Amino acid sequence: FASTPPGYNAASGYEINRAAVFPFFSQDIEWAMAFTIPTGPNFVFTGFVVPMTFSGSAAEVDFTLASDASGSPGSPIETIDISLSNGSELYTGDSMLQPTLISGATYWLEAAIDPADTGNNATWNSPVNVITGLFPGVVADRNLPMFPNWSATTATQAAFEIDGTAVPEPQCAWVVVLLLLGAAISRR
Protein backbone atom coordinates (compact mmCIF):
# COMPACT_ATOMS: atom_id res chain seq x y z
CA PHE A 1 0.00 0.00 0.00
CA ALA A 2 1.45 3.37 -0.94
CA SER A 3 -0.20 6.74 -0.44
CA THR A 4 2.09 8.29 -3.03
CA PRO A 5 4.94 6.93 -5.13
CA PRO A 6 8.44 7.07 -3.68
CA GLY A 7 9.53 9.81 -6.13
CA TYR A 8 9.79 13.24 -4.50
CA ASN A 9 10.57 16.88 -5.13
CA ALA A 10 13.46 17.98 -2.88
CA ALA A 11 12.69 21.66 -3.59
CA SER A 12 9.29 21.64 -1.90
CA GLY A 13 7.63 20.13 1.12
CA TYR A 14 6.52 20.67 4.70
CA GLU A 15 9.01 22.09 7.21
CA ILE A 16 9.19 20.31 10.55
CA ASN A 17 10.79 22.57 13.11
CA ARG A 18 11.90 22.69 16.73
CA ALA A 19 13.42 26.03 17.64
CA ALA A 20 14.25 27.90 20.82
CA VAL A 21 12.24 31.13 20.72
CA PHE A 22 13.05 32.51 24.17
CA PRO A 23 15.04 31.09 27.05
CA PHE A 24 13.21 28.03 28.38
CA PHE A 25 10.67 28.18 25.55
CA SER A 26 10.59 26.29 22.28
CA GLN A 27 8.32 26.24 19.25
CA ASP A 28 7.49 22.94 17.56
CA ILE A 29 5.95 22.73 14.11
CA GLU A 30 4.66 19.22 13.42
CA TRP A 31 2.94 17.71 10.37
CA ALA A 32 0.75 14.66 9.82
CA MET A 33 -0.55 12.94 6.69
CA ALA A 34 -3.74 10.84 6.68
CA PHE A 35 -4.14 7.55 4.84
CA THR A 36 -6.91 4.97 4.61
CA ILE A 37 -6.42 1.21 4.47
CA PRO A 38 -8.10 -0.09 1.29
CA THR A 39 -11.26 -2.14 1.72
CA GLY A 40 -10.41 -5.82 1.90
CA PRO A 41 -8.27 -7.70 4.38
CA ASN A 42 -6.76 -6.02 7.40
CA PHE A 43 -3.15 -4.85 7.06
CA VAL A 44 -0.08 -5.56 9.24
CA PHE A 45 1.99 -2.35 9.37
CA THR A 46 5.69 -3.16 8.87
CA GLY A 47 7.04 0.35 8.30
CA PHE A 48 7.16 3.35 5.99
CA VAL A 49 9.36 5.23 3.52
CA VAL A 50 9.56 9.04 3.55
CA PRO A 51 11.69 11.55 1.62
CA MET A 52 13.37 14.14 3.85
CA THR A 53 15.80 17.02 3.31
CA PHE A 54 18.07 18.12 6.13
CA SER A 55 21.08 20.40 6.52
CA GLY A 56 22.85 20.47 9.86
CA SER A 57 25.01 18.55 12.28
CA ALA A 58 22.50 16.01 13.62
CA ALA A 59 18.77 15.62 13.91
CA GLU A 60 16.26 12.93 14.61
CA VAL A 61 12.65 12.95 13.47
CA ASP A 62 10.05 11.02 15.44
CA PHE A 63 7.43 9.51 13.13
CA THR A 64 4.29 8.34 14.90
CA LEU A 65 1.63 6.05 13.49
CA ALA A 66 -1.63 7.26 15.04
CA SER A 67 -5.31 6.44 14.92
CA ASP A 68 -7.89 8.87 13.53
CA ALA A 69 -9.87 11.06 15.92
CA SER A 70 -12.72 12.59 13.92
CA GLY A 71 -10.51 13.80 11.06
CA SER A 72 -7.36 14.61 13.05
CA PRO A 73 -4.49 12.54 14.46
CA GLY A 74 -5.60 10.61 17.51
CA SER A 75 -3.97 8.15 19.90
CA PRO A 76 -0.41 7.10 19.07
CA ILE A 77 0.06 3.47 18.04
CA GLU A 78 3.85 3.39 17.53
CA THR A 79 6.69 5.92 17.28
CA ILE A 80 9.71 5.23 15.06
CA ASP A 81 12.81 7.45 15.19
CA ILE A 82 14.69 8.36 12.01
CA SER A 83 18.23 9.80 12.21
CA LEU A 84 18.80 12.30 9.40
CA SER A 85 21.95 12.98 7.42
CA ASN A 86 22.75 16.02 5.27
CA GLY A 87 21.02 16.24 1.92
CA SER A 88 17.83 14.79 0.47
CA GLU A 89 17.13 11.10 0.60
CA LEU A 90 14.54 8.43 1.26
CA TYR A 91 14.38 7.16 4.83
CA THR A 92 12.88 3.84 5.90
CA GLY A 93 11.30 3.32 9.29
CA ASP A 94 10.75 -0.26 10.41
CA SER A 95 7.97 -1.16 12.82
CA MET A 96 8.92 -3.13 15.91
CA LEU A 97 5.31 -3.66 17.02
CA GLN A 98 3.81 -4.49 13.61
CA PRO A 99 0.25 -3.52 14.59
CA THR A 100 -2.74 -4.69 12.57
CA LEU A 101 -4.51 -1.82 10.81
CA ILE A 102 -8.22 -2.27 10.10
CA SER A 103 -9.57 -2.42 6.54
CA GLY A 104 -11.30 0.84 5.56
CA ALA A 105 -10.02 2.73 8.63
CA THR A 106 -8.06 5.99 8.48
CA TYR A 107 -4.70 6.42 10.19
CA TRP A 108 -2.07 9.16 10.38
CA LEU A 109 1.69 9.35 9.94
CA GLU A 110 2.94 12.23 12.11
CA ALA A 111 6.40 13.84 12.01
CA ALA A 112 8.09 15.91 14.73
CA ILE A 113 11.70 16.85 15.45
CA ASP A 114 12.93 14.89 18.47
CA PRO A 115 12.72 17.00 21.66
CA ALA A 116 16.50 16.67 22.19
CA ASP A 117 17.19 18.39 18.85
CA THR A 118 16.08 21.98 19.56
CA GLY A 119 17.26 24.37 16.87
CA ASN A 120 16.84 21.92 14.01
CA ASN A 121 14.43 21.69 11.14
CA ALA A 122 13.86 19.28 8.29
CA THR A 123 11.60 19.18 5.25
CA TRP A 124 9.21 16.32 4.54
CA ASN A 125 9.32 16.48 0.73
CA SER A 126 6.38 16.70 -1.67
CA PRO A 127 5.62 14.15 -4.39
CA VAL A 128 7.38 14.59 -7.77
CA ASN A 129 4.28 15.86 -9.53
CA VAL A 130 3.04 18.20 -6.80
CA ILE A 131 2.24 20.85 -9.45
CA THR A 132 -0.39 18.63 -11.07
CA GLY A 133 -2.13 18.15 -7.72
CA LEU A 134 -2.48 14.42 -8.21
CA PHE A 135 -2.01 13.57 -4.54
CA PRO A 136 -4.54 15.58 -2.56
CA GLY A 137 -5.30 14.26 0.88
CA VAL A 138 -5.90 15.30 4.44
CA VAL A 139 -2.93 17.11 5.95
CA ALA A 140 -2.74 18.29 9.57
CA ASP A 141 -0.36 20.60 11.40
CA ARG A 142 0.11 21.99 14.85
CA ASN A 143 2.44 24.55 16.37
CA LEU A 144 3.33 23.73 19.97
CA PRO A 145 2.93 25.11 22.56
CA MET A 146 0.81 27.98 21.18
CA PHE A 147 -1.58 25.83 19.10
CA PRO A 148 -1.61 22.35 20.67
CA ASN A 149 -4.56 21.00 18.67
CA TRP A 150 -4.16 19.55 15.20
CA SER A 151 -5.56 21.67 12.35
CA ALA A 152 -6.55 19.44 9.42
CA THR A 153 -7.20 20.53 5.85
CA THR A 154 -7.31 19.05 2.36
CA ALA A 155 -4.03 19.78 0.59
CA THR A 156 -1.28 18.08 -1.40
CA GLN A 157 0.25 15.53 0.92
CA ALA A 158 3.94 15.05 1.47
CA ALA A 159 5.27 11.90 -0.22
CA PHE A 160 5.19 8.73 1.86
CA GLU A 161 4.78 5.01 1.50
CA ILE A 162 3.14 2.73 4.04
CA ASP A 163 4.49 -0.83 3.99
CA GLY A 164 2.99 -4.04 5.28
CA THR A 165 1.22 -7.25 4.44
CA ALA A 166 -2.42 -8.25 4.16
CA VAL A 167 -3.80 -10.39 6.97
CA PRO A 168 -5.25 -13.63 5.57
CA GLU A 169 -9.02 -13.80 5.66
CA PRO A 170 -10.31 -16.11 8.45
CA GLN A 171 -11.79 -18.60 5.96
CA CYS A 172 -8.33 -18.92 4.34
CA ALA A 173 -6.82 -19.75 7.71
CA TRP A 174 -9.38 -22.53 8.24
CA VAL A 175 -8.54 -24.01 4.85
CA VAL A 176 -4.85 -24.17 5.85
CA VAL A 177 -5.73 -25.76 9.20
CA LEU A 178 -7.97 -28.35 7.52
CA LEU A 179 -5.26 -29.15 4.95
CA LEU A 180 -2.71 -29.66 7.75
CA LEU A 181 -5.13 -31.89 9.66
CA GLY A 182 -5.83 -33.89 6.49
CA ALA A 183 -2.09 -34.32 5.88
CA ALA A 184 -1.55 -35.45 9.47
CA ILE A 185 -4.39 -38.00 9.24
CA SER A 186 -3.17 -39.35 5.90
CA ARG A 187 0.35 -39.86 7.33
CA ARG A 188 -1.13 -41.99 10.13
Side-chain angles (χ1 to χ4, degrees), residues 104-175:
T106 298
Y107 295 90
W108 292 82
L109 186 61
E110 306 171 11
I113 295 287
D114 187 271
D117 290 333
T118 299
N120 282 316
N121 62 56
T123 301
W124 186 354
N125 300 124
S126 298
V128 171
N129 41 8
V130 66
I131 295 171
T132 64
L134 292 179
F135 300 108
V138 181
V139 176
D141 71 304
R142 66 180 175 182
N143 190 334
L144 301 173
M146 296 177 289
F147 302 101
N149 296 325
W150 288 100
S151 175
T153 186
T154 301
T156 298
Q157 291 188 319
F160 65 101
E161 175 182 291
I162 300 296
D163 297 323
T165 57
V167 176
E169 294 290 332
Q171 62 268 26
C172 294
W174 280 110
V175 169

Side-chain angles (χ1 to χ4, degrees), residues 19-27 118 146:
V21 179
F22 300 108
F24 311 111
F25 178 75
S26 68
Q27 177 182 13
T118 299
M146 296 177 289

Side-chain angles (χ1 to χ4, degrees), residues 9 14 30 49 57 79-80 86 106 123 131-132 175-176 180:
N9 181 353
Y14 294 90
E30 301 177 359
V49 178
S57 57
T79 298
I80 300 169
N86 281 317
T106 298
T123 301
I131 295 171
T132 64
V175 169
V176 171
L180 291 174

Side-chain angles (χ1 to χ4, degrees), residues 4 29 61 85 87 116 134 150 156 158 164 171 179-181:
T4 63
I29 299 172
V61 176
S85 57
L134 292 179
W150 288 100
T156 298
Q171 62 268 26
L179 287 173
L180 291 174
L181 284 173

Side-chain angles (χ1 to χ4, degrees), residues 42-126:
N42 292 338
F43 184 82
V44 175
F45 173 75
T46 59
F48 60 88
V49 178
V50 292
M52 302 285 295
T53 297
F54 173 71
S55 176
S57 57
E60 191 170 274
V61 176
D62 297 335
F63 280 91
T64 300
L65 173 67
S67 63
D68 181 71
S70 301
S72 292
S75 301
I77 297 170
E78 181 178 14
T79 298
I80 300 169
D81 300 328
I82 302 293
S83 295
L84 303 180
S85 57
N86 281 317
S88 298
E89 62 182 86
L90 290 171
Y91 292 91
T92 301
D94 296 318
S95 173
M96 298 296 288
L97 302 178
Q98 299 198 348
T100 298
L101 306 184
I102 306 303
S103 166
T106 298
Y107 295 90
W108 292 82
L109 186 61
E110 306 171 11
I113 295 287
D114 187 271
D117 290 333
T118 299
N120 282 316
N121 62 56
T123 301
W124 186 354
N125 300 124
S126 298

